[in-house]
Short mmCIF file of all heavy atoms in Angstrom, two decimals:
data_model
loop_
_atom_site.label_atom_id
_atom_site.label_comp_id
_atom_site.label_asym_id
_atom_site.label_seq_id
_atom_site.Cartn_x
_atom_site.Cartn_y
_atom_site.Cartn_z
N THR B 66 46.10 30.75 -45.58
CA THR B 66 46.40 31.11 -44.19
C THR B 66 46.47 32.63 -44.10
O THR B 66 46.54 33.33 -45.10
CB THR B 66 47.75 30.52 -43.75
OG1 THR B 66 48.80 31.20 -44.45
CG2 THR B 66 47.83 29.06 -44.07
N GLN B 67 46.47 33.12 -42.86
CA GLN B 67 46.55 34.57 -42.69
C GLN B 67 47.84 35.12 -43.28
O GLN B 67 47.86 36.20 -43.86
CB GLN B 67 46.45 34.92 -41.20
CG GLN B 67 45.09 34.65 -40.62
CD GLN B 67 44.93 35.17 -39.22
OE1 GLN B 67 43.93 34.88 -38.56
NE2 GLN B 67 45.88 35.95 -38.76
N LEU B 68 48.91 34.35 -43.13
CA LEU B 68 50.19 34.82 -43.65
C LEU B 68 50.15 34.90 -45.17
O LEU B 68 50.59 35.88 -45.77
CB LEU B 68 51.31 33.88 -43.19
CG LEU B 68 52.73 34.43 -43.31
CD1 LEU B 68 52.86 35.70 -42.49
CD2 LEU B 68 53.74 33.39 -42.87
N LYS B 78 51.23 41.46 -41.79
CA LYS B 78 50.49 40.41 -41.08
C LYS B 78 49.96 40.91 -39.74
O LYS B 78 48.91 40.47 -39.28
CB LYS B 78 51.37 39.17 -40.87
CG LYS B 78 52.55 39.40 -39.96
CD LYS B 78 53.25 38.10 -39.62
CE LYS B 78 54.41 38.36 -38.64
NZ LYS B 78 54.99 37.13 -38.09
N ILE B 82 45.66 41.39 -38.78
CA ILE B 82 44.91 40.88 -37.64
C ILE B 82 43.76 41.80 -37.27
O ILE B 82 42.62 41.36 -37.09
CB ILE B 82 45.86 40.69 -36.43
CG1 ILE B 82 46.83 39.54 -36.72
CG2 ILE B 82 45.07 40.42 -35.17
CD1 ILE B 82 47.85 39.32 -35.65
N ARG B 96 37.04 32.89 -39.03
CA ARG B 96 38.34 32.25 -38.95
C ARG B 96 38.16 30.84 -38.43
O ARG B 96 37.60 30.64 -37.36
CB ARG B 96 39.26 33.03 -38.00
CG ARG B 96 40.09 34.08 -38.69
CD ARG B 96 41.08 34.68 -37.73
NE ARG B 96 40.48 35.78 -36.98
CZ ARG B 96 41.16 36.86 -36.60
NH1 ARG B 96 42.42 36.99 -36.92
NH2 ARG B 96 40.56 37.81 -35.92
N ARG B 104 48.27 25.33 -35.99
CA ARG B 104 48.84 26.67 -35.85
C ARG B 104 48.08 27.69 -36.69
O ARG B 104 47.94 28.83 -36.32
CB ARG B 104 50.31 26.67 -36.31
CG ARG B 104 51.26 25.96 -35.38
CD ARG B 104 52.61 25.88 -36.03
NE ARG B 104 52.54 25.23 -37.34
CZ ARG B 104 53.57 25.11 -38.16
NH1 ARG B 104 54.74 25.62 -37.84
NH2 ARG B 104 53.44 24.50 -39.32
N VAL B 105 47.64 27.26 -37.84
CA VAL B 105 47.14 28.22 -38.82
C VAL B 105 45.64 28.43 -38.72
O VAL B 105 44.90 27.53 -38.32
CB VAL B 105 47.50 27.78 -40.26
CG1 VAL B 105 48.97 27.44 -40.35
CG2 VAL B 105 46.63 26.65 -40.72
N ARG B 106 45.21 29.63 -39.08
CA ARG B 106 43.79 29.96 -39.16
C ARG B 106 43.46 30.21 -40.63
O ARG B 106 44.22 30.85 -41.35
CB ARG B 106 43.48 31.24 -38.37
CG ARG B 106 43.94 31.19 -36.94
CD ARG B 106 43.10 30.18 -36.15
NE ARG B 106 43.93 29.53 -35.12
CZ ARG B 106 44.18 30.05 -33.92
NH1 ARG B 106 43.66 31.19 -33.58
NH2 ARG B 106 44.95 29.41 -33.07
P DA C 21 63.92 40.45 -31.44
OP1 DA C 21 65.15 40.70 -30.68
OP2 DA C 21 63.90 39.47 -32.55
"O5'" DA C 21 62.77 40.05 -30.40
"C5'" DA C 21 62.36 41.01 -29.42
"C4'" DA C 21 61.23 40.45 -28.58
"O4'" DA C 21 60.01 40.40 -29.37
"C3'" DA C 21 61.46 39.03 -28.07
"O3'" DA C 21 60.97 38.91 -26.73
"C2'" DA C 21 60.68 38.17 -29.05
"C1'" DA C 21 59.52 39.09 -29.41
N9 DA C 21 58.98 38.85 -30.75
C8 DA C 21 59.69 38.79 -31.91
N7 DA C 21 58.95 38.57 -32.98
C5 DA C 21 57.66 38.49 -32.47
C6 DA C 21 56.42 38.27 -33.08
N6 DA C 21 56.26 38.09 -34.39
N1 DA C 21 55.33 38.25 -32.29
C2 DA C 21 55.49 38.43 -30.96
N3 DA C 21 56.61 38.64 -30.28
C4 DA C 21 57.67 38.67 -31.11
P DC C 22 61.26 37.58 -25.89
OP1 DC C 22 61.47 38.02 -24.50
OP2 DC C 22 62.29 36.81 -26.62
"O5'" DC C 22 59.91 36.75 -25.96
"C5'" DC C 22 58.69 37.36 -25.52
"C4'" DC C 22 57.51 36.51 -25.92
"O4'" DC C 22 57.29 36.66 -27.33
"C3'" DC C 22 57.73 35.01 -25.72
"O3'" DC C 22 57.10 34.58 -24.52
"C2'" DC C 22 57.11 34.35 -26.95
"C1'" DC C 22 56.59 35.51 -27.78
N1 DC C 22 56.86 35.36 -29.25
C2 DC C 22 55.79 35.18 -30.12
O2 DC C 22 54.65 35.14 -29.64
N3 DC C 22 56.02 35.04 -31.44
C4 DC C 22 57.27 35.09 -31.90
N4 DC C 22 57.47 34.96 -33.21
C5 DC C 22 58.38 35.27 -31.03
C6 DC C 22 58.13 35.40 -29.71
P DG C 23 57.27 33.07 -24.02
OP1 DG C 23 57.20 33.11 -22.55
OP2 DG C 23 58.44 32.46 -24.71
"O5'" DG C 23 55.97 32.34 -24.57
"C5'" DG C 23 54.69 32.73 -24.09
"C4'" DG C 23 53.59 32.05 -24.88
"O4'" DG C 23 53.78 32.31 -26.29
"C3'" DG C 23 53.56 30.53 -24.73
"O3'" DG C 23 52.19 30.08 -24.68
"C2'" DG C 23 54.27 30.03 -25.99
"C1'" DG C 23 53.86 31.09 -27.01
N9 DG C 23 54.82 31.27 -28.09
C8 DG C 23 56.17 31.46 -27.97
N7 DG C 23 56.79 31.59 -29.12
C5 DG C 23 55.76 31.50 -30.06
C6 DG C 23 55.81 31.57 -31.47
O6 DG C 23 56.79 31.74 -32.20
N1 DG C 23 54.55 31.41 -32.04
C2 DG C 23 53.39 31.21 -31.33
N2 DG C 23 52.29 31.08 -32.04
N3 DG C 23 53.34 31.15 -30.01
C4 DG C 23 54.55 31.30 -29.44
P DC D 8 54.35 29.74 -42.22
OP1 DC D 8 53.63 29.11 -43.34
OP2 DC D 8 55.27 30.86 -42.46
"O5'" DC D 8 53.28 30.21 -41.12
"C5'" DC D 8 52.03 29.56 -41.08
"C4'" DC D 8 51.45 29.60 -39.69
"O4'" DC D 8 52.47 29.37 -38.72
"C3'" DC D 8 50.85 30.93 -39.28
"O3'" DC D 8 49.51 31.02 -39.75
"C2'" DC D 8 50.88 30.84 -37.77
"C1'" DC D 8 52.06 29.90 -37.48
N1 DC D 8 53.22 30.56 -36.84
C2 DC D 8 53.30 30.65 -35.45
O2 DC D 8 52.37 30.19 -34.78
N3 DC D 8 54.36 31.25 -34.88
C4 DC D 8 55.35 31.73 -35.65
N4 DC D 8 56.39 32.30 -35.05
C5 DC D 8 55.29 31.66 -37.08
C6 DC D 8 54.21 31.08 -37.62
P DG D 9 48.83 32.46 -39.95
OP1 DG D 9 47.58 32.29 -40.70
OP2 DG D 9 49.86 33.38 -40.47
"O5'" DG D 9 48.48 32.89 -38.46
"C5'" DG D 9 47.51 32.16 -37.75
"C4'" DG D 9 47.42 32.66 -36.33
"O4'" DG D 9 48.73 32.62 -35.73
"C3'" DG D 9 46.93 34.12 -36.19
"O3'" DG D 9 45.97 34.19 -35.15
"C2'" DG D 9 48.20 34.89 -35.89
"C1'" DG D 9 49.08 33.87 -35.18
N9 DG D 9 50.50 34.09 -35.40
C8 DG D 9 51.13 34.22 -36.61
N7 DG D 9 52.42 34.41 -36.49
C5 DG D 9 52.65 34.42 -35.13
C6 DG D 9 53.86 34.59 -34.40
O6 DG D 9 55.00 34.77 -34.83
N1 DG D 9 53.64 34.52 -33.02
C2 DG D 9 52.42 34.30 -32.44
N2 DG D 9 52.41 34.27 -31.12
N3 DG D 9 51.29 34.15 -33.11
C4 DG D 9 51.48 34.22 -34.44
P DT D 10 45.27 35.60 -34.81
OP1 DT D 10 43.96 35.31 -34.23
OP2 DT D 10 45.38 36.46 -35.99
"O5'" DT D 10 46.19 36.19 -33.66
"C5'" DT D 10 46.39 35.43 -32.48
"C4'" DT D 10 47.36 36.11 -31.53
"O4'" DT D 10 48.69 36.12 -32.12
"C3'" DT D 10 47.03 37.57 -31.19
"O3'" DT D 10 46.82 37.66 -29.79
"C2'" DT D 10 48.26 38.36 -31.65
"C1'" DT D 10 49.34 37.30 -31.69
N1 DT D 10 50.45 37.55 -32.64
C2 DT D 10 51.72 37.74 -32.17
O2 DT D 10 51.99 37.73 -30.99
N3 DT D 10 52.67 37.95 -33.14
C4 DT D 10 52.47 37.98 -34.51
O4 DT D 10 53.38 38.18 -35.29
C5 DT D 10 51.11 37.78 -34.94
C7 DT D 10 50.77 37.81 -36.40
C6 DT D 10 50.18 37.57 -34.00
#
Side-chain angles (χ1 to χ4, degrees):
Chain B
T66 69
Q67 292 188 189
L68 197 59
K78 65 171 183 171
I82 291 177
R96 268 187 274 214
R104 289 173 304 175
V105 310
R106 306 291 146 83

